[in-house]
Amino acid sequence: MTSKTVGTEVVDLNALARQRRDALPKPTTFNLFDVEFTLPPIKSLPFELQERVGDLDNTVEVLKDLLGQDKVREMYAAGYTFGDLELIAQEWQKRSGLESGESQASAAS
């Protein structure tokens, strides 16, 4: 009978995590109504931001965190609509290599 204590094995994920990060798509630059902005692939976002991504109620706050207050003011001035934010979210997901079928953005369309 083998006595193996649960939880004693340590799996080092550092190399695998680096490989996954290196394989992510490059950031994407978008242009909508003469406002240019660059978004990183969604899977590269800091952990504390990811819980808010995909929730359309948090879209503006996520954009402020990623792009800064000034860029979001530029978007306001350009007259972005809720539909424009939905389009940005869908294209961002697509270019991040994610399935859009489970997002609230695609469910609303």
Side-chain angles (χ1 to χ4, degrees), residues 22-98:
D22 290 345
L24 288 172
K26 299 294 179 215
T28 301
T29 300
F30 298 93
N31 183 312
L32 180 61
F33 304 128
D34 295 325
V35 177
E36 196 169 279
F37 53 96
T38 301
L39 295 172
I42 292 171
K43 286 186 178 182
S44 73
L45 295 178
F47 184 57
E48 66 271 10
L49 251 183
Q50 281 203 336
E51 64 190 22
R52 296 189 326 220
V53 172
D55 180 352
L56 291 176
D57 292 336
N58 289 327
T59 302
V60 173
E61 291 305 314
V62 169
L63 289 175
K64 283 179 186 175
D65 286 345
L66 292 174
L67 304 174
Q69 190 80 21
D70 290 342
K71 186 58 74 175
V72 171
R73 276 194 211 103
E74 227 183 299
M75 292 170 159
Y76 288 158
Y80 281 25
T81 66
F82 186 75
D84 296 332
L85 292 180
E86 187 176 62
L87 175 63
I88 291 166
Q90 289 170 347
E91 291 301 313
W92 186 23
Q93 285 181 335
K94 186 186 334 179
R95 282 158 178 74
S96 290
L98 299 179

